[in-house]
């Protein structure tokens, strides 16, 4: 559903001011400011001011773990609302309950009913007999047109594996703004394309001072995307709901500062629901430390996902299995005796050990060759 004139619907609780807008300056009070009574676009409080109070009145509560998620559990059929400014998605098992919520929202707001979800914030939702497919095909087509690559020659991989990206060995890009816009668009594309996370994350490290090589690599990702624009994530209807993840890290993989890159992916049933690829903030002194840091970040994500699922009425009772390919990492998480050999690891990275000992996380080994 879409809410019309959404920012005129709410009242600000905070006391906020703005300078007088050009063309509407007061001759009587030229140096005064305006106190806001209604929210404006750009304010962080805008969406909350418009919707939160009324949603609470009709029985919804805001999730503690995601402020855009609202849940109502008054009946046997819980209703979920995902809210982004003036757009919202309503989900539930009972269509009659969903229609009741629509009616309640229409009493307070001027609503436009867009019916069954097909497109939301650039994400296409396709329903099939097997399940639901989410992709960004239309977004990819617009992206290729925007950067003049609609007739480009496709490639089979997003990046050349042996390419060395030395930031100081190539001439500067003529238009850094274009590079930043391209990387920003590619970052949004990773919402449904986990296969792009590593490549886009690598190129995003050069946004401050990009070179021609980096722009060429970003365009190569677009060439790869042009050949795989139908790729997406399938969530099958009839599958066992099991939350599990994989984590890995490359030790000192970035040659410029010898920092490691770690990543994780979590799946629920048939499809991935969360993933990340990010360079670590400090240098790891061993491969075990790099893997341990990566596993800790994955553990934080697992705990957050477990709490979100509990809010949605899908409690995860069994330990969450996280697979990694480093046995020393597993021993370090399970055995406190190893702490004497890893004193240089920051204390907050031992969060994973607490989760393992509490039985919430089960760290298991998986072979790299599989």
């Amino acid at each position: 559903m879409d809410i019309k004139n959404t920012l005129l619907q709410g009242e600000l609780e905070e006391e906020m001011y703005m300078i007088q807008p050009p063309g509407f300056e007061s001759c009587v009070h030229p140096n005064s400011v305006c106190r806001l009574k209604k929210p404006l676009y750009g304010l962080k409080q805008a969406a909350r001011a418009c919707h939160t109070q009324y949603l609470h009145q009709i029985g919804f509560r805001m999730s503690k773990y995601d402020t855009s998620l609202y849940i109502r559990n008054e009946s046997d059929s819980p209703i979920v609302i995902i809210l982004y400014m003036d757009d919202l998605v309503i989900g539930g098992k009972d269509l009659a309950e969903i229609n009741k919520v629509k009616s309640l929202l229409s009493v307070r707001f001027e609503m436009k009913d867009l019916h069954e979800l097909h497109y939301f914030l650039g994400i296409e939702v396709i329903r099939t007999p097997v399940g639901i497919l989410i992709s960004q095909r239309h977004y990819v087509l617009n992206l290729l047109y925007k950067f003049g690559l609609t007739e480009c020659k496709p490639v089979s991989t997003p990046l050349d594996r042996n390419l060395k990206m030395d930031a100081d060995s190539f001439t500067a890009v003529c238009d850094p703004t274009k590079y930043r816009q391209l990387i920003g668009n590619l970052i949004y594309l990773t919402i449904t394309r986990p296969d792009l996370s590593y490549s886009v994350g690598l190129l995003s490290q050069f946004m401050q001072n990009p070179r021609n090589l980096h722009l060429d690599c970003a365009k190569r990702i677009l060439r790869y995307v042009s050949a795989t624009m139908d790729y997406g994530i399938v969530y099958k209807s009839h599958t066992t709901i099991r939350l599990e993840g994989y984590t890995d890290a490359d030790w000192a993989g970035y040659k410029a500062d010898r920092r490691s890159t770690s990543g994780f992916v979590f799946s629920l049933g048939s499809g991935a629901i969360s993933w990340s690829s990010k360079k670590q903030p400090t240098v790891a002194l061993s491969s075990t430390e790099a893997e341990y840091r990566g596993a800790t970040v994955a553990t934080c994500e697992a705990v957050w996902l477990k709490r979100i699922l509990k809010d949605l009425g899908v409690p995860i009772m069994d330990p969450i299995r996280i697979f990694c390919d480093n046995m020393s990492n597993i021993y370090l998480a399970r055995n406190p005796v190893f702490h004497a050999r890893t004193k240089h690891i920051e204390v907050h990275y031992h969060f994973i050990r607490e989760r393992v000992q509490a039985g919430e996380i089960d760290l298991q080994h998986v072979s790299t060759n599989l």
Side-chain angles (χ1 to χ4, degrees), residues 166-198:
D166 189 346
D168 299 322
S169 300
F170 302 90
T171 58
V173 174
C174 298
D175 186 4
T177 301
K178 181 180 179 180
Y179 178 81
R180 293 163 189 158
Q181 290 175 344
L182 176 52
I183 296 300
N185 282 277
L186 289 174
I187 289 174
Y188 193 74
L189 185 56
T190 61
I191 290 176
T192 60
R193 297 291 299 270
D195 55 323
L196 302 177
S197 293
Y198 173 77

Side-chain angles (χ1 to χ4, degrees), residues 194 197-198 246 248 261-266 274-279 297 301:
S197 293
Y198 173 77
Y246 291 82
D248 198 7
T261 300
S262 56
F264 64 79
V265 59
F266 283 92
S274 179
W275 53 87
S276 173
S277 176
K278 189 175 182 180
K279 189 168 71 170
V297 175
E301 186 73 8

Side-chain angles (χ1 to χ4, degrees), residues 322-327 330 334 363-368 370:
I322 300 179
F323 296 92
C324 67
D325 61 355
N326 188 288
M327 289 301 300
I330 298 175
R334 293 179 178 175
L363 200 59
Q364 296 190 6
H365 181 260
V366 62
S367 175
T368 308
L370 291 179

Side-chain angles (χ1 to χ4, degrees), residues 64-263:
K64 296 178 182 179
Y65 312 109
D66 190 335
T67 56
S68 64
L69 177 64
Y70 293 81
I71 305 149
R72 192 176 76 174
N73 294 315
E74 291 183 350
S75 64
D76 295 334
S77 179
I79 301 295
V80 174
I81 292 180
I82 300 172
L83 179 65
Y84 181 79
M85 291 299 293
D86 56 353
D87 297 307
L88 55 89
V89 177
I90 307 172
K93 297 180 180 180
D94 190 341
L95 185 58
E97 288 293 327
I98 292 177
N99 289 331
K100 287 181 182 178
V101 172
K102 288 182 178 181
S103 300
L104 289 171
L105 290 171
S106 299
V107 171
R108 176 65 174 82
F109 305 107
E110 186 178 355
M111 309 290 295
K112 180 179 180 181
D113 191 348
L114 303 177
H115 304 288
E116 190 174 275
L117 178 63
H118 294 290
Y119 195 81
F120 184 68
L121 301 178
I123 302 172
E124 298 176 58
V125 181
I126 303 171
R127 300 173 186 271
T128 69
V130 177
I132 293 177
L133 167 68
I134 63 170
S135 69
Q136 291 172 280
R137 187 177 188 278
H138 185 69
Y139 180 83
V140 169
L141 291 173
N142 291 337
L143 192 57
L144 293 172
Y145 177 79
K146 178 180 179 180
F147 291 96
L149 293 172
T150 53
E151 302 296 330
C152 65
K153 183 179 179 181
V155 293
S156 58
T157 57
L159 282 181
D160 184 355
R161 183 176 180 180
N162 299 317
L163 186 64
K164 306 299 181 183
M165 294 190 184
D166 189 346
D168 299 322
S169 300
F170 302 90
T171 58
V173 174
C174 298
D175 186 4
T177 301
K178 181 180 179 180
Y179 178 81
R180 293 163 189 158
Q181 290 175 344
L182 176 52
I183 296 300
N185 282 277
L186 289 174
I187 289 174
Y188 193 74
L189 185 56
T190 61
I191 290 176
T192 60
R193 297 291 299 270
D195 55 323
L196 302 177
S197 293
Y198 173 77
S199 304
V200 175
L202 180 62
L203 292 177
S204 65
Q205 299 174 22
F206 304 100
M207 296 190 48
Q208 185 66 29
N209 189 23
R211 310 291 173 143
N212 283 329
L213 172 68
H214 307 140
L215 181 59
D216 292 341
C217 291
K219 290 181 177 179
R220 179 190 170 96
I221 294 179
L222 281 182
R223 292 168 58 197
Y224 167 74
V225 167
S226 70
T228 59
M229 65 176 65
D230 292 325
Y231 280 19
I233 304 175
V234 177
Y235 300 103
K236 295 181 180 179
S237 302
H238 305 288
T239 184
T240 303
I241 297 180
R242 180 187 293 274
L243 178 62
E244 59 184 19
Y246 291 82
T247 178
D248 198 7
D250 66 336
W251 179 41
Y254 189 54
K255 304 302 181 184
D257 55 13
R258 289 298 177 179
R259 295 185 185 179
S260 308
T261 300
S262 56

